[in-house]
Structures are given as structure tokens and as C-alpha cells.
Amino acid sequence: MIFTRTKNLKGSITVPGDKSISHRAVMFGALAEGLTEVEGFLPGADCLSTIDCFRRMGISIEEQDAARLLIHGKGLHGLKKPADILDTGNSGTTTRLISGILSGQDFETTLTGDASIQKRPMGRIIEPLSLMGASIESLKGNGCAPLRIQGHPLHGIHYTTKVASAQVKSAILLAGLYGDCPTLVTEPALSRNHTELMLRSFGAKVRTEGTTASIEPEPQLSGQKIRVPGDISSAAYFLAAGCITPGSELLIQNVGINPTRDGILRVLNGMGADITILPTDNHDGEPVADLLVRTSHLQGCVLEGELIPALIDEIPVIAVIACFASGTTVIRDAAELKVKESNRIDVMAENLSAMGAHITPTEDGMIIEGGYPLHGAVIDSHLDHRIAMSFAVAGLNADGETEIRGAECVNISYPGFYTDLGYLHS
Ligand code: S3P
């Protein structure tokens, strides 16, 4: 894909469904009794991996159209041993959350994913799930997938996580459904809480107090109607494009603005962005809004501490935005970026430097001096969807041609991204 400088991005856009919520709708629908209807499902490759895994465990999932699913749940003990290895593709959420579920089954499963998944740390779930009584082996002995999981009757635990990770928290809470007493998870900072909210709506007894979430075992989960809001992580590229592209005004409709996910709105507000939040809806504790964004004069900022989990997936595009702000932007406490779909600290530094940005990678983030114009370059996406989309936005605001290699990886979370971006040009 090749991008050149543009201006005057105008129009309205509805981004696809939230990836985190879409995964959970399939998983919890499979574990519930009866029918779960999902509207606004994200048909991205990651969520299709989740569907595939549950079909292989005997769950019937009808795709009425790409965004509407009917899931015929079979209850907490209704999954069957898959005939083959489960393939979680590129999806960390599928890998980690399913591991929590598989820990409580009375069969053995092996799961693995693509080259990126096979490098991502799984010790963070192996440790707590093993403490609960599951037998989990990293088949290459490196703490990564492939994983062989033999489920057992589990014990409830109170586990304190080292990192604020919703995937780790959710894996433990899901295993807690199969425990012999309540399970509690305390995190260093609050990560996204979609699991807690949605499990509660399915009938689980989930409580939260500060950064501790707890769950009681063996509830009767019942099928639900789930309306998935648009993904704020996908909206982020249009927020960025709207802010930095001259003469722009964009309305991004139906975006989930859960406070554990809205860090980008808080940061852009602090940088001086012209964004109006127009609330529209609230389902099961998931607030939704339309976002109106106009070209803005931005100031650099500091991103750190408890804010980081609320915008962890948006940091690549925030780094692009920072190049167009005056002054310095400092991002710290974000070492987790190194273990995402790619090492996002190194990959952002490599690619933004190639475009002429002044960026210094650090151990737990990066420092960007804004105000230096970007020029086109050949960008290696490292097959990381969020890198490809971030550099599409950068390329629209750079001199010359920006060529993105491996651009099709956007299908992981946003099939149709380039088409949607193209509509805003005319
Ligand atoms: C996700 C949690 C985050 C996020 C990922 C989706 C989820 O990962 O980066 O894209 O759906 O729970 P961590 O839990 O590893 O921080």
C-alpha cells in the first residue's frame, strides 16, 4: 500500500466492532446455556480464530452475516475435546483466555498460533493457572505456545499479577468459574474490564473493588443479547488522522468509550485536540458515543502510570500524533509494548526514524520531539496490524511516498480499513 500527502479529510465513519468484546461474546456465549445473539461482531481474523476454536470444541456458531452471530451455548461443562490442535492464529486474547477455560475442562488440549504468538510470553498465565491446579506445558520449554493443557478440578486463589493485563486477569477469572471457592485477581493498575462486565450480564457473580476483581465458581450462565460497540482502538486512527491532517472534520460513530479504554481521549484532550464526545448509549456498563474530531494544534505530553493500560494499543498511533505536536512527548511505564504482536517500541522507532521523526526508544517507552516534518519511506509493518494502520495515517501527512509492506495484516482487527480511510478523501 502506498500513501501520499492529503488534506481535508471529511465525512462520517462507523468503525467495526470492538475486538476485545467480540472475543468475549463468543467465549461466554459458548459457556452459557442457550442462545447468545451478537450484533456488531468484529469479523477480523483474530475473532474468527476464536470462533474456529469453539467450533472445534463442539459449539455451533451461525454467522447470519459477518457482524451477526448466533451462538448455541452448551453450558460450563458442554465443551468437547477437539480432534486436533487449536489454532489461535495471531490472537493473544484467544490464546490466553481460552487457556483459562481449558484449565477447567476434563480433557487435554494443545493450542498454538502463528510465528508472533509463538514468541509471546505465556508464563504470565501458566503460573496462576498451574497454581489453580491445571497442568500446562510449554512444549518448546520457552514459556510460549505451543501449550499443552490438561484441565483439572481447580482451586480458587487470590493472585496478584505483575503486569496490568486484561488477558491475564480474564484467564484467571474464567478458570475461577471452575474453582472450588472464589477466585480473586489484584492487578498493579486497572486493565480493561470487559470480562467483568460481560460475565456479570451472563449471570456470573463478579465483584470489583479498586484493582481487585473476584468471581464465584459454578454459576448458571445464561445466553444473552450482546450489542458490540465500535472499537475505540480502531477509531484511534481516525481520531489521529482528523487531528493532524489539515482542514479535516470527521464524525466517528458508535464508539465504545469504556473508562478502562478511553485513555486516548484523555491524552488527546490534554494535548489540546478539538474532539467533542457525544454520548449515545450504554449497554451493560459499556458506554458508547459519537466522536467529532477537527484538525487541531497539539502540544506534546507525558504518558505514564495508570493511564498506560487504558491506551496500550493506541501508543503506536499516539507516537505518530506526537510527531505533529509541538514540544516533547514522553511515554514511559509501557514495557508491555515489547511483547505485543511486534516489539512496538523498536518497530515504531525504526519506522518513524526512517520517515525523519526525532524519536528515541527507551526501556519502557519512547521520547519524541515533535515538529520535524515527516517524509515518505518504506515501512515494515512486521505484520503487526496496529503498526500498519499507524503508518497509513503518518503517510497521509508526509512528503513523498510512504510504502507499507505487509499492509494486509490490518485484517487482524480491521478488514476494510484502507477502503474506509479512502472514503474520507473525496
Ligand atoms: C486485550 C488486552 C490487552 C490488549 C489486547 C486485547 C483483551 O492485552 O493489548 O489487544 O482483549 O483483553 P494485555 O492484556 O496483554 O495487556
Side-chain angles (χ1 to χ4, degrees):
M1 292 291 301
I2 296 194
F3 294 87
T4 54
R5 187 181 284 292
T6 191
K7 55 185 178 181
N8 303 333
L9 293 177
K10 302 267 177 184
S12 62
I13 179 145
T14 305
V15 293
D18 188 277
K19 180 156 80 68
S20 294
I21 297 178
S22 294
H23 281 298
R24 287 159 173 81
V26 173
M27 293 182 184
F28 305 170
L31 298 180
E33 310 276 346
L35 189 67
T36 288
E37 297 179 47
V38 188
E39 240 178 70
F41 177 75
L42 166 67
D46 267 10
C47 299
L48 297 179
S49 293
T50 293
I51 289 187
D52 180 64
C53 289
F54 280 90
R55 282 187 175 143
R56 286 172 187 277
M57 292 192 285
I59 302 298
S60 155
I61 301 172
E62 296 173 58
E63 288 161 273
Q64 294 195 303
D65 61 46
R68 287 174 68 89
L69 302 181
L70 292 181
I71 303 162
H72 300 270
K74 291 202 167 161
L76 280 176
H77 297 280
L79 299 179
K80 72 172 197 341
K81 179 177 167 62
D84 215 334
I85 291 179
L86 294 178
D87 182 359
T88 60
N90 189 245
S91 176
T93 305
T94 312
T95 310
R96 295 196 177 112
L97 271 61
I98 246 183
S99 297
I101 294 170
L102 294 174
S103 293
Q105 308 304 315
D106 60 3
F107 52 77
E108 184 187 272
T109 334
T110 301
L111 54 86
T112 193
D114 69 7
S116 154
I117 272 295
Q118 292 187 41
K119 284 196 227 139
R120 297 183 66 184
M122 293 298 151
R124 54 180 63 191
I125 55 158
I126 294 175
E127 182 184 290
L129 296 174
S130 303
L131 283 172
M132 294 177 82
S135 305
I136 308 186
E137 191 187 349
S138 159
L139 294 182
K140 292 186 180 156
N142 59 357
C144 302
L147 300 178
R148 183 160 54 214
I149 303 179
Q150 171 64 58
H152 289 296
L154 300 177
H155 322 293
I157 54 170
H158 185 170
Y159 190 76
T160 300
T161 64
K162 292 172 199 72
V163 288
S165 160
Q167 293 178 357
V168 173
K169 171 175 64 177
S170 302
I172 299 168
L173 293 175
L174 286 165
L177 290 170
Y178 299 91
D180 54 1
C181 62
T183 288
L184 293 85
V185 186
T186 301
E187 345 179 54
L190 190 61
S191 65
R192 65 191 65 192
N193 63 359
H194 305 301
T195 294
E196 295 90 306
L197 294 172
M198 198 189 292
L199 271 180
R200 205 177 284 144
S201 78
F202 273 84
K205 292 205 175 66
V206 180
R207 288 193 188 81
T208 48
E209 216 180 300
T211 61
T212 299
S214 65
I215 191 160
E216 288 184 24
E218 295 290 350
Q220 161 96 29
L221 300 182
S222 359
Q224 296 297 311
K225 283 194 176 157
I226 308 282
R227 239 175 29 223
V228 183
D231 197 327
I232 191 166
S233 298
S234 298
Y237 306 101
F238 297 98
L239 288 171
C243 280
I244 67 175
T245 311
S248 298
E249 179 171 319
L250 300 176
L251 183 67
I252 315 163
Q253 292 172 306
N254 190 40
V255 181
I257 54 161
N258 178 316
T260 62
R261 294 284 300 283
D262 71 351
I264 185 161
L265 294 175
R266 286 184 259 156
V267 162
L268 286 175
N269 184 42
M271 293 175 87
D274 182 352
I275 296 175
T276 309
I277 301 171
L278 307 155
T280 56
D281 216 343
N282 194 320
H283 286 293
D284 297 322
E286 295 282 359
V288 181
D290 293 344
L291 306 175
L292 180 65
V293 55
R294 298 191 186 91
T295 310
S296 312
H297 292 290
L298 301 173
Q299 300 291 325
C301 65
V302 178
L303 278 70
E304 62 185 352
E306 294 183 356
L307 178 65
I308 297 294
L311 48 63
I312 187 74
D313 291 342
E314 289 67 74
I315 291 178
V317 78
I318 290 172
V320 170
I321 296 170
C323 296
F324 295 85
S326 50
T328 307
T329 294
V330 179
I331 301 171
R332 58 170 85 103
D333 303 327
E336 276 295 294
L337 292 173
K338 295 197 242 180
V339 291
K340 293 295 179 186
E341 286 83 330
S342 68
N343 178 333
R344 290 181 176 162
I345 295 179
D346 287 355
V347 172
M348 287 310 294
E350 162 197 321
N351 285 321
L352 275 178
S353 299
M355 295 185 79
H358 288 208
I359 174 167
T360 310
T362 64
E363 258 315 293
D364 64 350
M366 55 196 94
I367 300 167
I368 296 159
E369 298 292 337
Y372 293 91
L374 300 189
H375 54 74
V378 176
I379 300 300
D380 182 351
S381 70
H382 293 256
L383 300 182
D384 181 336
H385 53 132
R386 304 216 183 274
I387 299 295
M389 291 188 274
S390 298
F391 281 92
V393 174
L396 294 179
N397 287 280
D399 289 334
E401 287 192 343
T402 299
E403 179 185 336
I404 300 179
R405 298 259 166 94
E408 69 286 350
C409 64
V410 303
N411 291 334
I412 290 293
S413 64
Y414 197 155
F417 172 71
Y418 300 115
T419 314
D420 285 358
L421 194 58
Y423 280 138
L424 305 174
H425 279 96
S426 35

